[in-house]
Amino acid sequence: MDITSLYHVNSGAVREAAKQTGAAKKAEAAQEGRDVFSTMLHTAIDNLHTTNSYISDMENEELKIALGQAENTHDLSIALQKASAALQYTVAVRDKFMDAYKEIMQMQI
């Protein structure tokens, strides 16, 4: 039996199945893109909350030192370093987001 003639079978059912498969793959890719963006956005927001927390801790340590309630300046130094590092990281991430936004806005459609 010769099956070479079956290689070029092109029925409406085959075309429809191919379209549905392609549409499903496109929908799945779009959903994955939304999931990735959503995850990145929530991570960025969580990092902002962490940065704000470190800055608040730093301010509390400064107040304790100023009011004479703290005897150890080491805690203040640690709080300052944490707040500084978190703020630098946050600014760097913001700058990268702004660069990406500018690049997207300059794209021709």
Side-chain angles (χ1 to χ4, degrees):
M1 178 174 187
D2 185 19
I3 61 168
T4 57
S5 62
L6 297 176
Y7 287 137
H8 302 290
V9 171
N10 197 5
S11 69
V14 172
R15 280 190 299 248
E16 188 62 35
K19 285 180 187 177
Q20 289 176 355
T21 302
K25 286 182 181 178
K26 286 180 184 178
E28 184 179 311
Q31 180 63 34
E32 285 177 12
R34 283 190 292 271
D35 290 344
V36 169
F37 180 77
S38 176
T39 302
M40 286 178 47
L41 181 63
H42 288 298
T43 302
I45 290 170
D46 290 342
N47 287 339
L48 284 174
H49 290 303
T50 302
T51 300
N52 287 337
S53 173
Y54 286 153
I55 291 172
S56 178
D57 292 345
M58 177 200 65
E59 290 171 348
N60 289 339
E61 290 296 325
E62 286 177 337
L63 284 173
K64 287 180 185 177
I65 293 288
L67 296 173
Q69 296 175 350
E71 298 174 9
N72 189 358
T73 58
H74 184 69
D75 292 336
L76 175 61
S77 177
I78 291 172
L80 284 168
Q81 288 298 319
K82 282 184 177 180
S84 176
L87 190 58
Q88 287 175 357
Y89 176 76
T90 302
V91 169
V93 169
R94 183 216 49 197
D95 290 346
K96 289 293 182 181
F97 273 122
M98 292 303 295
D99 290 343
Y101 174 77
K102 288 175 185 175
E103 188 173 327
I104 289 170
M105 295 308 294
Q106 291 177 356
M107 286 183 183
Q108 297 291 327
I109 297 177

